[in-house]
Amino acid sequence: MTVTDSAVRRRRRLILPLATIGSVLLVPWTVYLAFALPHHYVARRWAWTWTGFDIVLTLALAATALLAWKRRLMTVVAAAVAGTMLLVDAWFDAMTATSGDQDESLLTALLLEVPMGPLLLATAAQITLRVARALATAQGAQHARWWQVPMQRPYDATAPARPDPTP
């Protein structure tokens, strides 16, 4: 077992319970919010909130474009972030628009954000699957169905040792 394998296992042992507990705790919290939050709320720093979100969305899209142009694996992360942010933007634009802005918000969401968000998420998934299949092929393994691709192949004690690429 390499240091990298050990670090991956430690990170997994940390993230798995945190994600599980977080998802379980969010269920009653979401139900509570559905009944407790007011239907109308005046927010402070509204312009900064949306401007900041759009700046980060712009950076995520620019990073996706640059990384894809350079054919870098980190395109997966940037595309997943950008795709998610586009869907969140569409949701909040549509849900918070005033009656005068509703048509513009829905049009933008339906023509740009909703189609582009899933496209970027699908791109991230496709790149991940291609890399996993290429690794499986390089290791002489069969291609797994997309929902069966493991994050990490089991350690093979009979495989020749490879030098750790990290310094």
Side-chain angles (χ1 to χ4, degrees):
M1 178 169 48
T2 66
V3 174
T4 305
D5 293 335
S6 175
V8 167
R9 286 190 178 95
R10 276 195 314 275
R11 190 171 297 130
R12 184 176 184 271
R13 281 195 303 267
L14 175 67
I15 291 172
L16 188 60
L18 287 176
T20 303
I21 291 167
S23 64
V24 169
L25 292 177
L26 273 172
V27 172
W29 177 250
T30 304
V31 171
Y32 165 75
L33 288 178
F35 293 103
L37 287 176
H39 291 288
H40 178 77
Y41 181 80
V42 177
R44 295 179 11 190
R45 295 181 290 281
W46 188 249
W48 282 107
T49 300
W50 281 109
T51 303
F53 185 89
D54 285 342
I55 289 169
V56 174
L57 175 56
T58 301
L59 292 172
L61 287 168
T64 302
L66 178 65
L67 291 165
W69 178 63
K70 291 185 166 238
R71 297 179 181 262
R72 299 293 190 254
L73 186 57
M74 288 303 288
T75 302
V76 171
V77 175
V81 168
T84 302
M85 288 187 75
L86 282 166
L87 293 175
V88 169
D89 195 28
W91 175 260
F92 281 102
D93 280 348
M95 293 287 103
T96 61
T98 60
S99 58
D101 297 330
Q102 192 73 38
D103 291 342
E104 181 184 336
S105 293
L106 289 175
L107 195 63
T108 303
L110 293 174
L111 292 179
L112 297 173
E113 296 162 332
V114 172
M116 195 170 172
L119 177 65
L120 286 168
L121 292 169
T123 299
Q126 275 298 320
I127 294 169
T128 302
L129 187 57
R130 281 184 167 184
V131 169
R133 286 183 173 161
L135 288 172
T137 300
Q139 294 175 357
Q142 289 285 347
H143 288 229
R145 292 183 174 92
W146 67 267
W147 64 88
Q148 295 173 325
V149 175
M151 282 194 293
Q152 189 175 9
R153 295 264 179 231
Y155 179 71
D156 183 4
T158 62
R162 294 185 181 160
D164 189 359
T166 57

